[in-house]
Amino acid sequence: GRAAATPPPARRDAADGLAPMLGLPAAGMADAPDDLAALLQQVRAAILSEQLDEARALLLGAGAGQQSQPAVRFHLAEIDFRAGRLDEAERALRALLEQTASGDAAMFHARILNTLANIAYQRNDAAAVEAWSEQALRWPAGPDDKAETGRAPIGRASARSGDHRYA
């Protein structure tokens, strides 16, 4: 079924409390956020609270139009990654790479590359960690992607230090 249009007060309050930490406006303070923005805010709050089943249910309860959006597809893959379903997460993220190479979805491209590096790290594949991180480093980060700018060099450094390449 479809998730409720208005979240329960406790969930809304939790999402509003986490929003500033994520650099997002609280739902009650935003200028009439659209349904997708409100949904994604609830999903991010659930993911950060390690309520992965709830986050997945919210995403799968969205309409078909929302489910096709790169942001929704990215978060579904992120949930798979956090739940240890690495193959599923990698397949979904690779499918999103081309779709996020330009336009409005481009903000997710570096996140996808960094998440692919994290998957490779979980598999102890230092060469793949470095390759994905190098791609993310070449991707121009937007003003809202400061965290992504930092994740790529950390991934590259962890891959190189694992191979004892400290220079």
Side-chain angles (χ1 to χ4, degrees), residues 55-132:
R56 178 180 292 284
L58 286 166
L59 291 169
L60 294 178
Q66 288 183 338
Q67 285 185 14
S68 68
Q69 294 298 311
V72 170
R73 293 174 58 209
F74 171 78
H75 286 303
L76 282 168
E78 179 186 18
I79 291 166
D80 281 339
F81 167 68
R82 287 176 178 254
R85 294 185 295 266
L86 302 183
D87 291 341
E88 294 87 342
E90 182 175 2
R91 263 193 306 277
L93 293 169
R94 284 179 179 267
L96 269 174
L97 278 177
E98 187 174 325
Q99 188 178 356
T100 60
S102 63
D104 293 340
M107 63 180 282
F108 286 100
H109 202 75
R111 290 181 195 172
I112 291 167
L113 293 167
N114 282 322
T115 305
L116 286 164
N118 286 342
I119 290 170
Y121 180 83
Q122 291 297 316
R123 291 178 169 150
N124 295 315
D125 185 346
V129 171
E130 186 170 5
W132 290 120

Coordinates of all heavy atoms in Angstrom, one line a residue, residues 55-132:
A55 N 12.3 2.3 6.0 CA 12.7 3.2 4.9 C 12.3 2.5 3.6 O 11.8 3.2 2.7 CB 14.2 3.4 5.0
R56 N 12.5 1.2 3.5 CA 12.2 0.5 2.3 C 10.7 0.5 2.0 O 10.2 0.7 0.9 CB 12.6 -1.0 2.3 CG 12.3 -1.8 1.1 CD 12.7 -3.3 1.2 NE 14.2 -3.4 1.2 CZ 14.9 -3.3 0.0 NH1 14.3 -3.0 -1.1 NH2 16.2 -3.4 0.1
A57 N 9.9 0.3 3.1 CA 8.4 0.3 2.9 C 8.0 1.7 2.5 O 7.0 1.8 1.6 CB 7.8 0.0 4.3
L58 N 8.6 2.8 3.0 CA 8.2 4.1 2.5 C 8.5 4.3 1.0 O 7.6 4.8 0.3 CB 9.0 5.2 3.3 CG 8.6 5.4 4.8 CD1 9.6 6.2 5.5 CD2 7.2 6.1 4.8
L59 N 9.6 3.8 0.6 CA 10.0 4.0 -0.8 C 9.1 3.1 -1.7 O 8.7 3.5 -2.8 CB 11.5 3.6 -1.0 CG 12.4 4.6 -0.4 CD1 13.9 4.0 -0.4 CD2 12.4 5.9 -1.1
L60 N 8.9 1.9 -1.3 CA 8.0 1.0 -2.1 C 6.6 1.3 -2.1 O 5.8 1.0 -2.9 CB 8.2 -0.5 -1.6 CG 9.6 -1.1 -1.9 CD1 9.7 -2.5 -1.3 CD2 10.1 -1.0 -3.3
G61 N 6.2 2.1 -1.1 CA 4.8 2.6 -1.0 C 4.5 3.8 -1.8 O 3.4 4.3 -2.0
A62 N 5.6 4.4 -2.4 CA 5.5 5.6 -3.3 C 4.8 5.2 -4.6 O 4.9 4.0 -5.0 CB 6.8 6.2 -3.5
G63 N 4.3 6.1 -5.3 CA 3.7 5.9 -6.6 C 4.8 5.5 -7.6 O 6.0 5.7 -7.4
A64 N 4.3 4.9 -8.7 CA 5.2 4.5 -9.8 C 6.1 5.7 -10.3 O 7.3 5.5 -10.6 CB 4.5 3.9 -10.9
G65 N 5.5 6.8 -10.4 CA 6.3 8.0 -10.8 C 7.4 8.3 -9.9 O 8.5 8.7 -10.4
Q66 N 7.2 8.3 -8.6 CA 8.2 8.5 -7.6 C 9.3 7.4 -7.6 O 10.5 7.7 -7.5 CB 7.6 8.8 -6.2 CG 6.9 10.1 -6.1 CD 6.4 10.3 -4.7 OE1 6.2 9.4 -3.9 NE2 6.1 11.6 -4.4
Q67 N 8.8 6.2 -7.7 CA 9.7 5.0 -7.7 C 10.7 5.0 -8.8 O 11.8 4.5 -8.7 CB 9.0 3.7 -7.7 CG 8.3 3.4 -6.3 CD 7.7 2.1 -6.3 OE1 7.9 1.2 -7.1 NE2 6.9 1.9 -5.3
S68 N 10.4 5.7 -9.9 CA 11.3 5.8 -11.1 C 12.4 6.9 -10.9 O 13.3 6.9 -11.7 CB 10.5 6.0 -12.4 OG 10.0 7.3 -12.4
Q69 N 12.2 7.7 -9.9 CA 13.1 8.8 -9.7 C 14.5 8.3 -9.2 O 14.6 7.4 -8.4 CB 12.6 9.8 -8.7 CG 11.3 10.5 -9.2 CD 11.6 11.4 -10.4 OE1 12.5 12.1 -10.5 NE2 10.7 11.2 -11.4
P70 N 15.6 8.9 -9.7 CA 16.9 8.5 -9.3 C 17.1 8.6 -7.8 O 17.8 7.7 -7.2 CB 17.8 9.5 -10.0 CG 17.1 9.9 -11.2 CD 15.6 9.9 -10.8
A71 N 16.5 9.5 -7.1 CA 16.7 9.7 -5.7 C 16.1 8.5 -5.0 O 16.7 7.9 -4.0 CB 16.1 10.9 -5.2
V72 N 15.0 8.0 -5.4 CA 14.3 6.9 -4.8 C 15.1 5.6 -5.1 O 15.4 4.8 -4.2 CB 12.9 6.7 -5.3 CG1 12.2 5.4 -4.8 CG2 12.0 7.9 -4.8
R73 N 15.5 5.4 -6.3 CA 16.3 4.3 -6.7 C 17.6 4.2 -6.0 O 18.1 3.2 -5.5 CB 16.5 4.2 -8.2 CG 15.2 4.0 -8.9 CD 15.3 4.1 -10.4 NE 16.2 3.2 -11.0 CZ 16.9 3.5 -12.1 NH1 16.7 4.6 -12.8 NH2 17.8 2.6 -12.5
F74 N 18.3 5.4 -5.8 CA 19.5 5.4 -5.0 C 19.3 5.0 -3.6 O 20.1 4.2 -3.1 CB 20.1 6.8 -5.1 CG 21.3 7.0 -4.1 CD1 22.5 6.5 -4.5 CD2 21.1 7.6 -2.9 CE1 23.6 6.5 -3.6 CE2 22.2 7.6 -2.0 CZ 23.4 7.1 -2.4
H75 N 18.3 5.5 -3.0 CA 18.0 5.1 -1.6 C 17.7 3.7 -1.4 O 18.0 3.1 -0.4 CB 17.0 6.1 -0.9 CG 17.5 7.4 -0.7 ND1 18.6 7.7 0.1 CD2 17.1 8.7 -1.1 CE1 18.9 9.0 0.2 NE2 18.0 9.6 -0.5
L76 N 16.9 3.1 -2.4 CA 16.7 1.7 -2.3 C 18.0 0.9 -2.4 O 18.2 -0.1 -1.6 CB 15.7 1.2 -3.4 CG 14.3 1.6 -3.2 CD1 13.5 1.4 -4.5 CD2 13.7 0.7 -2.1
A77 N 18.9 1.3 -3.2 CA 20.2 0.6 -3.3 C 21.0 0.9 -2.0 O 21.7 -0.1 -1.6 CB 21.0 1.2 -4.5
E78 N 20.9 2.0 -1.5 CA 21.6 2.3 -0.2 C 21.1 1.4 0.9 O 21.9 0.9 1.7 CB 21.4 3.8 0.2 CG 22.1 4.2 1.5 CD 21.8 5.6 1.9 OE1 20.8 6.2 1.4 OE2 22.6 6.1 2.8
I79 N 19.8 1.2 0.9 CA 19.2 0.3 1.9 C 19.8 -1.1 1.7 O 20.1 -1.8 2.7 CB 17.7 0.3 1.9 CG1 17.2 1.7 2.4 CG2 17.1 -0.8 2.7 CD1 15.8 2.0 2.1
D80 N 19.8 -1.6 0.5 CA 20.4 -2.9 0.2 C 21.8 -3.0 0.7 O 22.2 -4.0 1.3 CB 20.3 -3.2 -1.3 CG 18.9 -3.7 -1.8 OD1 18.1 -4.1 -0.9 OD2 18.7 -3.6 -3.0
F81 N 22.6 -1.9 0.4 CA 24.0 -1.9 0.8 C 24.1 -2.0 2.4 O 24.8 -2.9 2.9 CB 24.7 -0.6 0.3 CG 26.0 -0.4 1.0 CD1 27.1 -1.2 0.7 CD2 26.2 0.7 1.9 CE1 28.3 -1.0 1.4 CE2 27.4 0.9 2.5 CZ 28.5 0.0 2.2
R82 N 23.3 -1.2 3.0 CA 23.4 -1.2 4.5 C 22.9 -2.5 5.1 O 23.3 -2.9 6.2 CB 22.6 0.0 5.1 CG 23.2 1.3 4.9 CD 22.3 2.4 5.3 NE 23.0 3.7 5.2 CZ 23.5 4.4 6.2 NH1 23.4 4.0 7.4 NH2 24.0 5.6 6.0
A83 N 22.0 -3.2 4.4 CA 21.5 -4.5 4.8 C 22.4 -5.7 4.4 O 22.1 -6.8 4.7 CB 20.1 -4.7 4.3
G84 N 23.5 -5.4 3.7 CA 24.5 -6.4 3.4 C 24.2 -7.1 2.1 O 24.8 -8.1 1.7
R85 N 23.2 -6.6 1.3 CA 22.8 -7.2 0.0 C 23.7 -6.4 -1.1 O 23.2 -5.6 -1.8 CB 21.3 -7.0 -0.3 CG 20.5 -7.9 0.7 CD 19.0 -7.8 0.4 NE 18.4 -6.5 0.5 CZ 17.8 -6.0 1.6 NH1 17.7 -6.8 2.7 NH2 17.3 -4.8 1.7
L86 N 25.0 -6.8 -1.1 CA 25.9 -6.0 -1.9 C 25.7 -6.2 -3.4 O 25.8 -5.3 -4.2 CB 27.3 -6.4 -1.5 CG 27.8 -6.2 -0.1 CD1 29.2 -6.6 0.1 CD2 27.5 -4.8 0.4
D87 N 25.4 -7.4 -3.8 CA 25.1 -7.7 -5.3 C 23.9 -6.9 -5.8 O 24.0 -6.2 -6.8 CB 24.9 -9.2 -5.5 CG 26.1 -10.0 -5.3 OD1 27.3 -9.4 -5.3 OD2 26.0 -11.2 -5.1
E88 N 22.8 -6.9 -5.0 CA 21.7 -6.1 -5.4 C 22.0 -4.6 -5.4 O 21.6 -3.9 -6.4 CB 20.5 -6.4 -4.4 CG 20.0 -7.8 -4.5 CD 20.7 -8.8 -3.5 OE1 21.8 -8.4 -3.1 OE2 20.2 -9.8 -3.3
A89 N 22.7 -4.1 -4.4 CA 23.0 -2.7 -4.4 C 23.9 -2.3 -5.5 O 23.6 -1.3 -6.2 CB 23.7 -2.4 -3.0
E90 N 24.9 -3.1 -5.8 CA 25.8 -2.8 -6.9 C 25.1 -2.8 -8.3 O 25.3 -1.9 -9.1 CB 27.0 -3.8 -7.0 CG 27.9 -3.4 -8.1 CD 29.2 -4.3 -8.1 OE1 29.3 -5.2 -7.3 OE2 30.0 -4.0 -9.0
R91 N 24.2 -3.8 -8.5 CA 23.4 -3.8 -9.8 C 22.6 -2.5 -9.9 O 22.6 -1.9 -11.0 CB 22.5 -5.0 -9.8 CG 23.1 -6.2 -10.5 CD 22.1 -7.3 -10.8 NE 21.3 -7.7 -9.7 CZ 21.8 -8.7 -8.8 NH1 22.9 -9.2 -9.0 NH2 21.0 -9.0 -7.8
A92 N 21.9 -2.2 -8.9 CA 21.0 -1.0 -8.9 C 21.9 0.3 -9.1 O 21.5 1.2 -9.9 CB 20.2 -0.9 -7.7
L93 N 23.0 0.4 -8.5 CA 23.8 1.6 -8.6 C 24.4 1.7 -10.0 O 24.5 2.8 -10.6 CB 24.9 1.6 -7.5 CG 24.3 1.8 -6.1 CD1 25.4 1.5 -5.1 CD2 23.7 3.2 -5.9
R94 N 24.9 0.6 -10.5 CA 25.5 0.6 -11.9 C 24.4 1.0 -12.9 O 24.7 1.8 -13.8 CB 26.1 -0.7 -12.2 CG 27.4 -1.0 -11.6 CD 27.9 -2.4 -12.0 NE 29.2 -2.8 -11.4 CZ 30.4 -2.5 -12.0 NH1 30.4 -2.0 -13.2 NH2 31.5 -2.9 -11.4
A95 N 23.2 0.6 -12.7 CA 22.1 1.0 -13.6 C 21.8 2.5 -13.5 O 21.4 3.1 -14.5 CB 20.9 0.2 -13.3
L96 N 22.1 3.0 -12.4 CA 21.8 4.5 -12.2 C 22.9 5.4 -12.7 O 22.7 6.6 -12.9 CB 21.6 4.8 -10.7 CG 20.2 4.7 -10.2 CD1 20.3 4.9 -8.7 CD2 19.4 5.8 -10.8
L97 N 24.1 4.8 -13.0 CA 25.3 5.7 -13.3 C 25.0 6.5 -14.6 O 25.2 7.7 -14.6 CB 26.5 4.8 -13.6 CG 27.3 4.5 -12.3 CD1 28.5 3.6 -12.7 CD2 27.8 5.7 -11.6
E98 N 24.5 5.9 -15.6 CA 24.2 6.7 -16.9 C 23.1 7.7 -16.7 O 23.2 8.8 -17.1 CB 23.9 5.7 -18.0 CG 23.8 6.4 -19.3 CD 23.6 5.5 -20.5 OE1 24.1 4.4 -20.4 OE2 22.9 5.9 -21.4
Q99 N 22.1 7.3 -15.9 CA 21.0 8.2 -15.7 C 21.3 9.4 -14.9 O 20.7 10.5 -15.0 CB 19.8 7.5 -15.0 CG 18.5 8.2 -14.9 CD 17.4 7.4 -14.3 OE1 17.6 6.3 -14.0 NE2 16.3 8.1 -14.1
T100 N 22.4 9.3 -14.1 CA 22.8 10.5 -13.2 C 24.0 11.2 -13.8 O 24.6 12.0 -13.1 CB 23.1 10.0 -11.8 OG1 24.1 9.0 -11.9 CG2 21.9 9.4 -11.2
A101 N 24.4 11.0 -15.0 CA 25.5 11.6 -15.6 C 25.3 13.1 -16.0 O 26.2 13.8 -16.2 CB 26.1 10.8 -16.8
S102 N 24.0 13.5 -16.0 CA 23.8 14.9 -16.4 C 22.4 15.3 -15.9 O 21.6 14.4 -15.4 CB 23.8 15.1 -17.9 OG 22.8 14.3 -18.5
G103 N 22.0 16.5 -16.0 CA 20.7 17.0 -15.6 C 20.5 17.1 -14.1 O 21.4 17.1 -13.4
D104 N 19.2 17.1 -13.8 CA 18.8 17.2 -12.4 C 19.3 16.1 -11.5 O 19.6 16.3 -10.3 CB 17.3 17.3 -12.2 CG 16.7 18.6 -12.9 OD1 17.5 19.5 -13.1 OD2 15.5 18.6 -13.1
A105 N 19.5 14.9 -12.0 CA 20.0 13.8 -11.2 C 21.5 13.7 -11.0 O 21.9 12.9 -10.3 CB 19.5 12.5 -11.9
A106 N 22.2 14.7 -11.6 CA 23.7 14.6 -11.5 C 24.2 14.7 -10.1 O 25.3 14.2 -9.8 CB 24.3 15.7 -12.4
M107 N 23.4 15.3 -9.2 CA 23.8 15.4 -7.8 C 24.1 14.0 -7.2 O 24.8 13.9 -6.2 CB 22.9 16.2 -7.0 CG 21.5 15.6 -6.9 SD 20.3 16.5 -5.9 CE 20.9 16.1 -4.3
F108 N 23.4 13.0 -7.7 CA 23.6 11.7 -7.2 C 24.8 10.9 -7.7 O 25.2 9.9 -7.2 CB 22.3 10.8 -7.4 CG 21.2 11.2 -6.5 CD1 20.2 12.1 -7.0 CD2 21.2 10.8 -5.2 CE1 19.2 12.5 -6.2 CE2 20.2 11.2 -4.4 CZ 19.2 12.0 -4.8
H109 N 25.4 11.4 -8.8 CA 26.5 10.7 -9.5 C 27.6 10.4 -8.5 O 28.1 9.2 -8.4 CB 26.9 11.4 -10.7 CG 27.6 10.5 -11.7 ND1 26.9 9.6 -12.5 CD2 28.9 10.4 -12.0 CE1 27.7 9.0 -13.3 NE2 29.0 9.4 -13.0
A110 N 28.2 11.4 -7.9 CA 29.3 11.2 -7.0 C 28.9 10.3 -5.8 O 29.7 9.5 -5.4 CB 29.8 12.5 -6.4
R111 N 27.6 10.4 -5.3 CA 27.2 9.5 -4.2 C 27.2 8.1 -4.7 O 27.5 7.2 -3.9 CB 25.8 9.9 -3.8 CG 25.7 11.2 -3.1 CD 24.3 11.6 -2.6 NE 24.2 13.0 -2.3 CZ 23.1 13.6 -2.0 NH1 21.9 12.9 -2.1 NH2 23.1 14.8 -1.7
I112 N 26.7 7.9 -5.9 CA 26.7 6.5 -6.5 C 28.1 6.0 -6.6 O 28.4 4.8 -6.2 CB 26.0 6.5 -7.8 CG1 24.5 6.8 -7.6 CG2 26.2 5.2 -8.6 CD1 23.8 7.1 -8.9
L113 N 29.0 6.8 -7.1 CA 30.4 6.3 -7.2 C 31.0 6.0 -5.9 O 31.7 5.0 -5.7 CB 31.3 7.4 -8.0 CG 30.9 7.6 -9.4 CD1 31.5 8.9 -10.0 CD2 31.3 6.4 -10.3
N114 N 30.8 6.8 -4.9 CA 31.3 6.6 -3.6 C 30.7 5.4 -2.9 O 31.4 4.7 -2.2 CB 31.1 7.9 -2.7 CG 32.2 8.9 -3.0 OD1 33.3 8.7 -3.3 ND2 31.7 10.2 -2.9
T115 N 29.4 5.2 -3.2 CA 28.8 4.0 -2.6 C 29.3 2.7 -3.3 O 29.5 1.7 -2.6 CB 27.2 4.1 -2.7 OG1 26.8 5.3 -2.1 CG2 26.5 3.0 -2.0
L116 N 29.6 2.8 -4.6 CA 30.2 1.6 -5.2 C 31.6 1.4 -4.6 O 32.0 0.2 -4.5 CB 30.3 1.9 -6.7 CG 28.9 1.7 -7.5 CD1 29.0 2.4 -8.8 CD2 28.5 0.3 -7.5
A117 N 32.3 2.4 -4.3 CA 33.6 2.3 -3.6 C 33.4 1.6 -2.3 O 34.2 0.7 -1.9 CB 34.3 3.6 -3.5
N118 N 32.4 2.0 -1.6 CA 32.1 1.3 -0.3 C 31.8 -0.1 -0.4 O 32.2 -1.0 0.4 CB 31.0 2.1 0.5 CG 31.4 3.4 1.0 OD1 32.6 3.7 1.2 ND2 30.4 4.2 1.3
I119 N 31.0 -0.5 -1.5 CA 30.7 -1.9 -1.7 C 32.0 -2.7 -2.0 O 32.2 -3.8 -1.4 CB 29.7 -2.0 -2.9 CG1 28.4 -1.5 -2.5 CG2 29.7 -3.5 -3.4 CD1 27.4 -1.4 -3.6
A120 N 32.9 -2.1 -2.8 CA 34.2 -2.7 -3.1 C 35.0 -2.9 -1.8 O 35.7 -3.9 -1.6 CB 34.9 -1.9 -4.1
Y121 N 34.9 -1.9 -0.9 CA 35.7 -1.9 0.4 C 35.1 -3.1 1.2 O 35.9 -3.9 1.8 CB 35.5 -0.6 1.1 CG 36.2 -0.6 2.4 CD1 37.6 -0.3 2.5 CD2 35.5 -0.9 3.6 CE1 38.2 -0.3 3.7 CE2 36.2 -0.9 4.8 CZ 37.5 -0.5 4.9 OH 38.2 -0.5 6.1
Q122 N 33.8 -3.3 1.2 CA 33.2 -4.4 2.0 C 33.7 -5.8 1.4 O 33.8 -6.8 2.1 CB 31.7 -4.3 1.9 CG 31.1 -3.2 2.7 CD 31.4 -3.3 4.2 OE1 31.3 -4.4 4.8 NE2 31.8 -2.2 4.8
R123 N 34.0 -5.8 0.1 CA 34.5 -7.0 -0.5 C 36.0 -7.1 -0.5 O 36.6 -8.0 -1.1 CB 34.0 -7.0 -2.0 CG 32.5 -7.2 -2.1 CD 32.1 -7.1 -3.5 NE 30.7 -7.5 -3.7 CZ 29.9 -7.0 -4.6 NH1 30.4 -6.2 -5.6 NH2 28.6 -7.4 -4.7
N124 N 36.7 -6.2 0.2 CA 38.1 -6.2 0.3 C 38.8 -6.1 -1.1 O 39.8 -6.8 -1.3 CB 38.6 -7.4 1.1 CG 38.2 -7.4 2.5 OD1 38.3 -6.4 3.2 ND2 37.7 -8.5 3.0
D125 N 38.2 -5.4 -2.0 CA 38.7 -5.2 -3.3 C 39.3 -3.8 -3.4 O 38.7 -2.8 -3.9 CB 37.6 -5.4 -4.3 CG 38.1 -5.4 -5.8 OD1 39.2 -4.9 -6.0 OD2 37.3 -5.7 -6.7
A126 N 40.6 -3.7 -3.0 CA 41.3 -2.4 -2.9 C 41.4 -1.7 -4.3 O 41.2 -0.5 -4.4 CB 42.6 -2.5 -2.3
A127 N 41.6 -2.5 -5.4 CA 41.7 -1.9 -6.7 C 40.4 -1.3 -7.1 O 40.4 -0.2 -7.7 CB 42.2 -3.0 -7.7
A128 N 39.3 -1.9 -6.9 CA 38.0 -1.4 -7.2 C 37.7 -0.1 -6.4 O 37.1 0.8 -6.9 CB 36.9 -2.4 -7.1
V129 N 38.0 -0.2 -5.1 CA 37.8 1.0 -4.2 C 38.5 2.2 -4.8 O 37.9 3.3 -5.0 CB 38.3 0.7 -2.8 CG1 38.3 2.0 -2.0 CG2 37.5 -0.3 -2.1
E130 N 39.8 2.0 -5.2 CA 40.5 3.1 -5.8 C 40.0 3.6 -7.1 O 39.8 4.8 -7.3 CB 42.0 2.7 -5.9 CG 42.9 3.8 -6.4 CD 44.4 3.5 -6.4 OE1 44.7 2.4 -6.1 OE2 45.1 4.4 -6.6
A131 N 39.5 2.6 -7.9 CA 39.0 3.0 -9.2 C 37.7 3.8 -9.1 O 37.5 4.9 -9.7 CB 38.7 1.8 -10.1
W132 N 36.8 3.4 -8.2 CA 35.5 4.1 -8.0 C 35.8 5.5 -7.4 O 35.2 6.5 -7.7 CB 34.5 3.3 -7.2 CG 33.9 2.1 -7.8 CD1 34.0 0.8 -7.4 CD2 33.1 2.1 -9.0 NE1 33.4 0.0 -8.3 CE2 32.8 0.7 -9.2 CE3 32.7 3.1 -9.9 CZ2 32.0 0.3 -10.3 CZ3 31.9 2.7 -11.0 CH2 31.6 1.3 -11.2

